[in-house]
Amino acid sequence: MPLALLALAVAAFGIGTTEFVMMGLLPDVADDLGVSVPTAGHLVSAYALGVVVGAPLLAAVGVRVPRRRMLIALMGLFTLGNLATALAPGYGTLLAGRALSGLPHGAFFGVGAVVAARLAREGRAARAVATMFLGLTVANIVGVPLGTALGQQLGWRATFLVVTAIGLVAMAALAVLVPHLPLERRGGGAGRELTREVRALGDRQVLLGLLTAVFGFAGVFALYSYLASMVTEVTGLADSSVTVVLALFGVGMTLGALAAGPLTDRALRPTLYGALGALALVLVAFRFTVHVPWAALATVVVIGAVGFMTTTPLQMLVMEKARHAPTLAAASNHSAFNLANAGGAWAGGTAIAAGWGWTSPALVGAVLAVVGLAIAVVAGVLDGRGGRGGRGVLARRSRVVARGAGVREGEARGAGARGAGVR
């Protein structure tokens, strides 16, 4: 494994920690700033809004910036946002700090996915991308629980100071371990390159992939947003067990990421179909297993696994279909995931407010997953009719992604092998 992937995973760990740890610290933040918990909840939305806006915007701004330099700059902005969060004197400035922290999220993962794919050996591009995402999943097992405990003991500001330090470590790792990857020389300057990126983003298959992410992944967040209430109100677990439940969800995410890489390299669309179909089924099952503690905990792990198994094939799909200009599409995929976050939470909350019960978000999530699966199947059928699908495209994944990112296949393998020794 190229050491550059380790640097990307460390950065992903910091991003994942700061994204999700606020959910566990909301009561502490609300009490410290003198606002209600629902008002403090807008801090979660502010981060998501930053991701949605920042992903395409920063990716577009950086189309002609060398990849390593772009990754370091994005991590610098992330670090600055977390420092602003830790030092925020009031609620308004804290909102701004959270939004600033979220701005580089999608662009970092978009650029990072392109870099990971370029460094991978032939036929292992999806595994390389999944390795980067492991940092995000491990954050839910280690970073979020420890960050929550630290914030409860030393104050929530201490948590974001630690994340700031992680950001600095990630910047150093990126500078040392990520090789210089030259941009493709196609002429026309930044304006022409941006036009290519926007045109690639408008491809029908790219748009259908993004729509699949919005609906399919919304199924995960329809349940995850209210998981703590479900296991305390329905399963009967103590409030102190919520951290363990969330960590189990993170374990499932990690298992899903580990499985998604090799499966996606072998068969992209079948992996996506299988993950979305399994997600719908297990969400329905949770409606019944939630009443039995051991069964509920086991199902939580499975939901995390099959839910996160959708992320790698979706990322690789949009990168393939935007193969000549993949950066903006790959970054926009994370805007889609955050729209799924917000939309799933809204749909699940609407079901609860309508009086359908605490378990209703599981059924709402299953419906959303089925909608995502239907969109994915339609996209696959249309792709097959267009003559660009099938085994040929899947077998050429690493070569296509590497060429679309602006490097020859031999250069990509050479860059990965040279690792930190290349500048």
Side-chain angles (χ1 to χ4, degrees):
M1 179 184 74
L3 288 176
L5 296 182
L6 177 61
L8 292 171
V10 170
F13 176 84
I15 292 173
T17 299
T18 205
E19 179 180 14
F20 293 107
V21 76
M22 182 59 80
M23 299 175 186
L25 294 175
L26 284 181
D28 302 271
V29 174
D31 183 63
D32 183 49
L33 298 181
V35 299
S36 67
V37 171
T39 299
H42 295 315
L43 296 168
V44 177
S45 302
Y47 185 93
L49 179 62
V51 178
V52 172
V53 173
L57 179 62
L58 294 180
V61 168
V63 291
R64 298 304 298 170
V65 178
R67 303 302 183 196
R68 181 176 62 184
R69 188 183 305 169
M70 186 65 178
L71 289 171
I72 295 171
L74 290 169
M75 209 59 209
L77 184 59
F78 167 83
T79 303
L80 180 62
N82 279 280
L83 181 61
T85 298
L87 302 179
Y91 177 72
T93 50
L94 183 55
L95 273 176
R98 287 291 290 170
L100 182 61
S101 300
L103 279 176
H105 176 126
F108 182 90
F109 280 115
V111 176
V114 173
V115 169
R118 287 178 61 174
L119 295 176
R121 297 196 301 271
E122 182 177 347
R124 299 178 68 90
R127 267 169 273 207
V129 173
T131 299
M132 177 184 68
F133 283 136
L134 278 177
L136 188 64
T137 65
V138 171
N140 282 273
I141 302 174
V142 180
V144 173
L146 289 182
T148 300
L150 177 67
Q152 291 171 343
Q153 294 298 318
L154 302 180
W156 61 270
R157 296 178 189 275
T159 298
F160 291 101
L161 285 174
V162 170
V163 175
T164 300
I166 294 173
L168 293 173
V169 171
M171 290 175 66
L174 292 168
V176 172
L177 300 178
V178 175
H180 171 66
L181 299 175
L183 293 170
E184 184 179 19
R185 294 182 176 88
R186 288 182 290 198
R192 182 71 62 85
E193 187 66 27
L194 180 57
T195 300
R196 292 190 189 100
E197 292 278 352
V198 173
R199 186 180 297 119
L201 184 61
D203 180 86
R204 180 176 66 181
Q205 286 296 320
V206 173
L207 293 175
L208 287 173
L210 296 176
L211 199 59
T212 301
V214 169
F215 282 95
F217 210 64
V220 178
F221 278 97
L223 178 132
Y224 182 77
S225 302
Y226 305 98
L227 183 58
S229 297
M230 289 184 192
V231 297
T232 55
E233 298 292 336
V234 181
T235 310
L237 299 180
D239 291 344
S240 58
S241 67
V242 170
T243 300
V244 175
V245 174
L246 296 179
L248 286 174
F249 189 88
V251 169
M253 291 171 64
T254 302
L255 295 174
L258 288 170
L263 288 174
T264 302
D265 277 327
R266 290 176 61 87
L268 191 155
R269 289 197 188 274
T271 299
L272 179 58
Y273 300 157
L276 288 171
L279 177 61
L281 291 175
V282 75
L283 285 171
V284 172
F286 189 71
R287 167 66 177 79
F288 303 97
T289 62
V290 70
H291 299 282
V292 182
W294 70 265
L297 296 178
T299 309
V300 165
V301 175
V302 178
I303 292 173
V306 296
F308 206 78
M309 198 180 293
T310 64
T311 58
T312 297
L314 282 169
Q315 186 76 71
M316 295 305 300
L317 178 65
V318 298
M319 287 169 62
E320 275 194 7
K321 298 309 174 184
R323 62 179 66 100
H324 299 300
T327 305
L328 184 57
S332 296
N333 199 39
H334 292 275
S335 291
F337 284 136
N338 275 267
L339 287 174
N341 184 342
W346 173 82
T350 299
I352 294 173
W356 295 353
W358 282 112
T359 60
S360 59
L363 300 181
V364 171
V367 172
L368 290 170
V370 169
V371 173
L373 175 59
I375 296 171
V377 170
V378 169
V381 171
L382 292 175
D383 197 27
R385 289 177 179 175
R388 298 194 303 272
R391 293 178 59 188
V393 168
L394 297 177
R396 295 193 301 272
R397 174 173 296 107
S398 294
R399 297 194 299 273
V400 167
V401 172
R403 185 169 63 247
V407 67
R408 295 189 305 275
E409 180 183 342
E411 293 175 30
R413 293 199 300 268
R418 290 191 298 271
V422 180
R423 293 291 179 270

